[in-house]
């Protein structure tokens, strides 16, 4: 029999399993969290070989007392901190209203950002006009923090007559060239290599604009992720490559896609990329790391890979029930806390905020979101009101419409 001559038993396939199942006690002891302010901040032009350890640590600025400490602190003014809190509060209120709208049948689909607001909201503040983000479906904070109108976002979600994308995209798959937000693709991972290509084109044209690619932990198992690292490292593209590790790829825990590398950031080491991990629930840390990576790209020093360690509090989407695959109390046990509460507490410590002011701001934000929703719904929702014109199907595709499409349009009477 095979193997009998050596004494080896039959081969066994290793399938990683989460340490906790529904009904179990949540356990995040495997997430090693250094004290805030203890991770070094290297010079922007550092040799990637000298900072390999940053791929295995977590850069943090806010400590348990709400104080900003360490070498990564100080990248934001008081006014910018207040704006950041308001951006995250706005995204959270926007999520709440749109989640309810989906349950009411006003849209077919929605995806929340609960717990991940700091990642996209803080990163956006490090970018400049003309730069381009290639996002996934959970980076709407790039638009909120960039001043994109909430009404336009809601019109897209409702696929109504004022939908800027004319009903051509799944709800929440926004697109805005003017706001540096590349069209979201439902095919996972495609945007990562596209970001590198866009950045290479910018360098070829001798431009000054940079790109940022976004991907979730689960999608790093896609081949496009690895292709992006090959091209970015080979051609030293001016791009920031962001991995949002929110612990879950729909119902699959992060250990499946991560493999044996230890961290997602560590995957960049084999490509010679500077690779950092950051506390994704720390607005100040996210901004500081984003600013560092963006400056590196802008100074023609090449790409940077960043892993944001965060947690997806809500369901993957309105089509998902997380209670089927993870403990119901898991989000409460997440050791890095709530990004909104952490920034709020920091502002209070600095004497810039209070619990009373926060309640007032929550009401102000919700009023602005409700006003935007009422305006959007005046243009229609999924099952009522105005819809995009049938004519829109034929336009915006070809510079010169082919004869067969002209005939079809005539037959449709539009």
């Amino acid at each position: 029999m095979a193997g009998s001559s050596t004494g080896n038993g039959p081969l066994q396939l290793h399938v990683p399993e989460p340490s906790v199942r529904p009904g179990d006690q949540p356990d995040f002891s495997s997430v090693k969290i250094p004290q805030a302010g203890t991770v070094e901040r290297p010079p922007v032009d550092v040799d990637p070989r000298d900072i390999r350890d940053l791929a295995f640590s977590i850069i943090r600025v806010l400590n348990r007392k709400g104080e900003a400490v360490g070498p990564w602190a100080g990248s934001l003014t008081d006014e910018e901190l207040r704006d950041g809190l308001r951006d995250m509060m706005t995204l959270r209120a926007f999520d709440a209203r749109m989640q309810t709208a989906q349950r009411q049948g006003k849209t077919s689909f929605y995806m929340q950002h609960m717990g991940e607001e700091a990642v996209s909201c803080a990163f956006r503040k490090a970018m400049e006009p003309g730069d381009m983000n290639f996002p996934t479906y959970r980076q709407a904070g790039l638009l909120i923090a960039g001043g994109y109108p909430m009404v336009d976002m809601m019109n897209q979600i409702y696929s109504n007559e004022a939908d800027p994308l004319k009903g051509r995209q799944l709800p929440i798959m926004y697109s805005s060239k003017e706001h540096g937000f590349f069209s979201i693709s439902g095919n996972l991972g495609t945007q990562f290599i596209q970001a590198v290509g866009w950045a290479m084109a910018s360098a070829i044209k001798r431009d000054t604009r940079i790109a940022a690619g976004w991907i979730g932990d689960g999608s790093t198992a896609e081949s496009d992720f690895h292709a992006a690292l090959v091209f970015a490292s080979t051609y030293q593209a001016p791009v920031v490559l962001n991995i949002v590790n929110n612990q879950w790829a729909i119902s699959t825990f992060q250990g499946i896609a991560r493999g044996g590398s230890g961290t997602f950031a560590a995957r960049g080491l084999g490509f010679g990329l500077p690779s950092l991990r950051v506390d994704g629930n720390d607005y100040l840390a996210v901004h500081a790391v984003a600013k560092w990576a963006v400056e590196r790209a802008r100074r023609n020093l090449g790409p940077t890979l960043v892993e944001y360690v965060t947690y997806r509090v809500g369901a993957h989407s309105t089509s998902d029930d997380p209670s089927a695959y993870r403990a119901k109390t898991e989000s409460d046990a997440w050791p890095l806390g709530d990004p909104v509460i952490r920034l709020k507490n920091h502002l209070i410590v600095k004497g810039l905020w209070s619990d009373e002011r926060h309640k007032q701001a929550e009401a102000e934000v919700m009023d602005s979101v409700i006003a935007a929703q009422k305006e959007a719904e005046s243009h229609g929702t999924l099952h009522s009101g105005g819809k995009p014109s049938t004519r829109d199907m034929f336009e915006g595709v070809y510079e010169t419409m082919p004869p067969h499409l002209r005939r079809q349009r005539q037959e449709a009477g539009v």
Side-chain angles (χ1 to χ4, degrees):
M1 295 178 61
S4 60
S5 60
T6 62
N8 293 330
L11 297 173
Q12 292 182 316
L13 180 67
H14 170 67
V15 180
E17 294 186 12
S19 59
V20 176
R21 295 288 190 179
D24 295 342
Q25 186 69 26
D27 179 15
F28 286 108
S29 59
S30 61
V31 182
K32 305 303 179 184
I33 303 174
Q35 287 188 350
T38 59
V39 178
E40 64 172 318
R41 185 188 186 279
V44 172
D45 60 355
V46 67
D47 187 325
R49 292 172 294 186
D50 295 334
I51 57 169
R52 292 174 62 89
D53 58 317
L54 295 188
F56 299 97
S57 189
I58 299 178
I59 296 166
R60 304 177 63 227
V61 171
L62 292 176
N63 64 18
R64 301 293 182 186
K65 298 178 182 178
E67 302 164 331
V69 296
W72 291 91
S75 68
L76 291 160
T77 66
D78 291 347
E79 189 62 32
E80 288 170 337
L81 289 170
R82 281 191 289 258
D83 289 345
L85 179 59
R86 193 173 190 90
D87 288 337
M88 291 196 293
M89 293 171 69
T90 300
L91 179 56
R92 186 164 292 188
F94 182 95
D95 272 350
R97 296 297 299 185
M98 292 298 96
Q99 179 85 358
T100 299
Q102 192 278 335
R103 298 308 190 204
Q104 293 171 338
K106 295 178 179 179
T107 182
S108 60
F109 184 77
Y110 192 71
M111 304 183 83
Q112 293 189 89
H113 303 72
M114 177 74 78
E116 301 179 41
E117 294 93 345
V119 177
S120 54
C121 288
F123 187 91
R124 178 62 182 81
K125 296 301 186 180
M127 300 286 273
E128 293 183 2
D131 295 337
M132 185 62 71
N133 280 282
F134 288 74
T136 76
Y137 38 67
R138 223 181 299 276
Q139 274 86 54
L142 295 170
L143 292 173
I144 294 287
Y148 187 77
M150 284 189 289
V151 173
D152 289 347
M153 295 173 70
M154 292 173 175
N155 287 335
Q156 194 279 328
I157 291 168
Y158 290 144
S159 301
N160 61 26
E161 63 184 9
D163 177 1
L165 303 184
K166 313 296 185 184
R168 293 167 172 162
Q169 281 275 72
L170 185 74
I172 63 85
M173 291 192 176
Y174 317 104
S175 175
S176 176
K177 182 178 180 180
E178 296 75 17
H179 284 76
F181 195 93
F182 200 82
S183 304
I184 296 177
S185 170
N187 298 313
L188 300 181
T190 58
Q191 71 283 348
F192 220 55
I193 185 63
Q194 291 166 354
V196 176
W198 193 97
M200 289 170 59
S202 184
I204 290 169
K205 292 187 295 183
R206 307 292 291 173
D207 206 333
T208 60
R209 300 173 298 166
I210 69 165
W214 295 84
I215 201 165
D217 51 280
S219 296
T220 62
E222 295 282 342
S223 59
D224 281 340
F225 170 79
H226 302 278
L229 298 192
V230 170
F231 277 81
S233 60
T234 299
Y235 297 101
Q236 291 296 289
V239 62
V240 182
L241 296 170
N242 298 307
I243 304 170
V244 182
N245 176 12
N246 66 12
Q247 313 304 311
W248 290 95
I250 309 183
S251 60
T252 303
F253 88 115
Q254 52 132 341
I256 296 291
R258 189 186 67 237
S261 63
T263 72
F264 289 96
R267 290 188 166 180
L269 300 179
F271 294 88
L273 299 180
S275 304
L276 297 76
R277 296 178 86 216
V278 59
D279 178 348
N281 290 23
D282 182 339
Y283 187 95
L284 283 74
V286 170
H287 180 267
V289 170
K291 188 176 180 181
W292 188 92
V294 165
E295 182 182 349
R296 188 176 176 90
R298 190 122 26 222
R299 287 173 55 181
N300 216 38
L301 296 171
T304 302
L305 185 69
V306 182
E307 175 188 348
Y308 302 88
V309 183
T310 183
Y311 185 83
R312 192 197 79 210
V313 174
H316 174 74
S317 71
T318 50
S319 303
D320 175 46
D321 176 13
S323 66
Y325 54 82
R326 69 184 189 191
K328 291 183 178 180
T329 58
E330 189 174 271
S331 63
D332 297 329
W334 176 242
L336 294 178
D338 182 310
V340 173
I341 294 175
R342 289 177 66 186
L343 183 52
K344 167 197 164 187
N345 290 342
H346 175 59
L347 289 172
I348 291 175
V349 167
K350 288 174 66 72
L352 302 171
W353 206 247
S354 66
D355 288 324
E356 294 73 22
R357 180 68 187 94
H358 193 77
K359 291 178 182 177
Q360 180 185 353
E362 285 180 323
E364 293 168 353
V365 164
M366 185 58 74
D367 285 346
S368 67
V369 173
I370 291 174
Q373 185 176 9
K374 288 180 178 178
E375 182 179 344
E377 292 183 1
S378 72
H379 295 290
T381 62
L382 178 62
H383 295 299
S384 66
K387 299 287 190 297
S389 170
T390 305
R391 181 175 59 252
D392 292 331
M393 287 195 301
F394 298 92
E395 296 179 346
V397 180
Y398 293 96
E399 182 177 8
T400 302
M401 190 177 297
H404 72 285
L405 289 185
R406 285 203 300 271
R407 288 194 299 270
Q408 289 179 19
R409 180 175 170 175
Q410 291 169 354
E411 291 171 3
V414 295

